[in-house]
Amino acid sequence: MDSSQTTPRPLEKAINCICQLEDMLAYVIKHINEDDETKTALIVTKQCAKSYVEEIERELARQGNA
């Protein structure tokens, strides 16, 4: 594979970090009390993380780096 077509290492690390954050938030959301108002904030944060990863992956695909 041509190195010019691979995802830059820092960007790959950022994507992995965001995905891990999303997984951790999913775990906390699953185990938090339904009445806790923090749960809504965690759900929104998780959705934002997912959206960021999807946006980055679309951009990389558009550039031919994915």
Side-chain angles (χ1 to χ4, degrees):
M1 175 183 280
D2 183 356
S3 63
S4 66
Q5 293 183 352
T6 60
T7 303
R9 188 76 176 134
L11 191 52
E12 183 180 310
K13 285 182 177 182
I15 291 170
N16 288 337
C17 180
I18 294 169
C19 288
Q20 288 174 350
L21 173 63
E22 187 182 345
D23 290 343
M24 288 184 274
L25 286 169
Y27 176 84
V28 172
I29 290 166
K30 181 178 178 180
H31 292 90
I32 199 167
N33 185 340
E34 285 294 327
D35 297 332
D36 193 330
E37 292 178 9
T38 306
K39 187 171 189 167
T40 302
L42 293 172
I43 291 169
V44 170
T45 303
K46 180 181 175 289
Q47 290 303 318
C48 286
K50 182 177 182 174
S51 295
Y52 292 149
V53 168
E54 290 170 350
E55 182 179 342
I56 292 167
E57 289 174 338
R58 278 193 305 271
E59 181 63 23
L60 288 172
R62 188 183 69 77
Q63 294 177 8
N65 291 330

